[in-house]
Amino acid sequence: MDQSVVITLGFLVFAIIMFAWEKIPLSITAMIVAVGLHLTGVLSAKAAFAGFVDTNVLLFMGMFIVGAAFFETGLAVEVGNLVTKVAKTETRLIIAIMMITGLLSGFLSNTGTAAVLIPVVIGICKKANFSQTRMMMPLVFAAAMGGNISLIGAPGNMIAQAGLQQAGLQGFEFFDYGKIGLPMLIVGTIFYATIGKRFLPTTPSRTPDASYQGNDDYSHIPSWKKWIAGLVLVGTVAAMIFEKELGVKLYVSAWIGALILVATNVITETAAIKSIDMKTIMLFAGSLALGDAMVKTGTGSVIADTVVAMLGTSPEPLVLLVVIFILSVFMTNFMSNTATCALLVPIGLSLANQLGFDPKAVLAAIVVGSSLAYATPIGMPANTMVYNIAGYSFMDYVKAGIPLIVVSMIVSLILLPILFPFHP
């Protein structure tokens, strides 16, 4: 085996262990890998740090600012309050919470959406005498499902997009993931509004965090700022949807929106810069370096060869789909869904190349599978966020999350072969 392959495999194993262990922040682990790949001669310095000037990173940065304005002006709270006003029963409240959270997280940060709506829901529960312990899980699970509605819904979506672009292949359309994500959100909402309610915890397993105070006061924010924040968000998303017709790249549209918000002082320059999540960007850039190394050294092909040998020289597409999907689901519940995508995307591309399958079909399975982080409190940041607020235990997530994983898998494994065939 070539020395560069051995080194890259070593860094891959290191990344898997550290992503799962999380003793070092994920972003730092990713950058250790990028730097290590350069120092060992696998990648040039330019290649190791190329992720920081990737167009997808520019898209992230612009949308962080657009999303921050939507949250900081209090517009997100108003939207949440407006929708949940119709929720007079527990079932209606679950439906309202999941649909508004899911739709918002399709275009904004999943974690940011959850962070803003958690105190909104707590306030509604206190006012209407509902159990907030029962409402927190549907909220954060919907945030994860909503990430599959659009291309910008979650960092993992963009990692798959970058992988296709690096391979010189056509990327996903803006709403390609939504063909799976929206039905999954609707079915997941119906599930928890009906038979799934029995799996939600009724009372806290531990003493909830009493220090949680809820939303800031947004009453001092001028109405014109809220209007501009809302119009810019809608306009930016619309420009992204009609990217081909306008001839304007996604990241350019994002930055036009961000610049309008800062220029009109809807969000200050300082707040705009603070809103850019460098942890996500570092994780993304470092992950791209690992993916690039796996392609250039042939490491991805070696792993793909191993998988092919296990499955047979001509595995059935459906068998491969199920294996990839289950692997993604398992990994994402013990490490970041972004990290799961970062590790599996280059392997998936190599598998598709080896077997002559459509790369989009393989990557769509990885991205969707990686979003099903429902069964543990560490599967995604939003899960962790409500762990203390609602007084959950680890087993609460297992009991409520595994049934939703099963339901989501059924929906996905029905739709994926139809919408993303392995032999288009």
Side-chain angles (χ1 to χ4, degrees), residues 54-380:
D54 186 87
T55 56
N56 295 302
V57 167
L58 295 174
L59 173 59
F60 280 151
M61 294 171 71
M63 287 309 295
F64 279 140
I65 296 172
V66 172
F70 187 74
F71 294 136
E72 292 194 11
T73 57
L75 189 56
V77 174
E78 291 194 7
V79 170
N81 283 331
L82 181 66
V83 174
T84 50
K85 276 183 180 178
V86 301
K88 303 299 182 184
T89 65
E90 183 184 72
T91 298
R92 286 187 181 182
L93 183 58
I94 289 174
I95 293 171
I97 287 171
M98 293 190 72
M99 290 307 298
I100 186 60
T101 303
L103 292 174
L104 282 176
S105 69
F107 306 100
L108 302 168
S109 157
N110 298 359
T111 307
T113 300
V116 168
L117 293 184
I118 283 169
V120 174
V121 173
I122 288 176
I124 292 169
C125 289
K126 288 179 178 177
K127 186 182 294 186
N129 201 29
F130 291 123
S131 168
Q132 71 182 51
T133 301
R134 287 177 66 77
M135 297 301 160
M136 291 296 103
M137 279 189 181
L139 188 155
V140 295
F141 293 166
M145 288 186 278
N148 286 323
I149 288 178
S150 77
L151 185 62
I152 60 173
N157 301 9
M158 298 306 299
I159 287 177
Q161 184 79 341
L164 288 170
Q165 291 169 350
Q166 280 183 333
L169 302 171
Q170 184 179 358
F172 290 99
E173 298 292 332
F174 191 77
F175 281 121
D176 272 355
Y177 292 120
K179 297 171 185 176
I180 309 291
L182 190 56
M184 192 189 300
L185 174 62
I186 292 170
V187 172
T189 300
I190 294 171
F191 172 71
Y192 274 130
T194 54
I195 60 174
K197 284 193 292 187
R198 71 184 67 180
F199 300 112
L200 296 173
T202 303
T203 55
S205 299
R206 301 176 299 110
T207 303
D209 184 358
S211 66
Y212 194 77
Q213 298 299 317
N215 272 315
D216 295 329
D217 180 16
Y218 297 104
S219 60
H220 64 286
I221 305 292
S223 295
W224 66 268
K225 286 191 175 184
K226 297 179 181 181
W227 274 101
I228 292 177
L231 290 172
V232 166
L233 174 61
V234 172
T236 301
V237 171
M240 290 177 174
I241 294 170
F242 297 103
E243 176 191 12
K244 289 183 178 178
E245 290 78 2
L246 295 173
V248 180
K249 298 292 185 182
L250 297 180
Y251 63 94
V252 176
S253 296
W255 271 99
I256 291 172
L259 292 171
I260 290 172
L261 292 167
V262 177
T264 55
N265 202 35
V266 171
I267 185 171
T268 65
E269 178 189 17
T270 301
I273 292 172
K274 283 183 177 180
S275 72
I276 298 173
D277 186 355
M278 283 304 299
K279 291 184 291 185
T280 297
I281 291 174
M282 288 168 66
L283 176 57
F284 187 86
S287 300
L288 285 186
L290 179 59
D292 190 26
M294 290 179 69
V295 172
K296 287 181 176 177
T297 62
T299 305
S301 297
V302 171
I303 296 172
D305 287 339
T306 305
V307 174
V308 170
M310 292 171 61
L311 296 176
T313 52
S314 300
E316 284 294 319
L318 187 58
V319 173
L320 181 63
L321 172 64
V322 171
V323 169
I324 290 174
F325 198 89
I326 291 175
L327 178 62
S328 301
V329 171
F330 177 78
M331 288 176 62
T332 197
N333 277 283
F334 295 97
M335 63 173 69
S336 156
N337 60 334
T338 308
T340 300
C341 283
L343 293 171
L344 294 182
V345 162
I347 296 172
L349 284 169
S350 296
L351 272 172
N353 184 56
Q354 292 279 89
L355 299 169
F357 294 149
D358 183 0
K360 280 189 179 181
V362 179
L363 296 197
I366 290 171
V367 169
V368 175
S370 298
S371 70
L372 309 188
Y374 313 139
T376 69
I378 60 173
M380 55 183 174

Side-chain angles (χ1 to χ4, degrees), residues 5-15:
V5 174
V6 174
I7 293 171
T8 306
L9 275 174
F11 278 113
L12 174 62
V13 172
F14 169 78

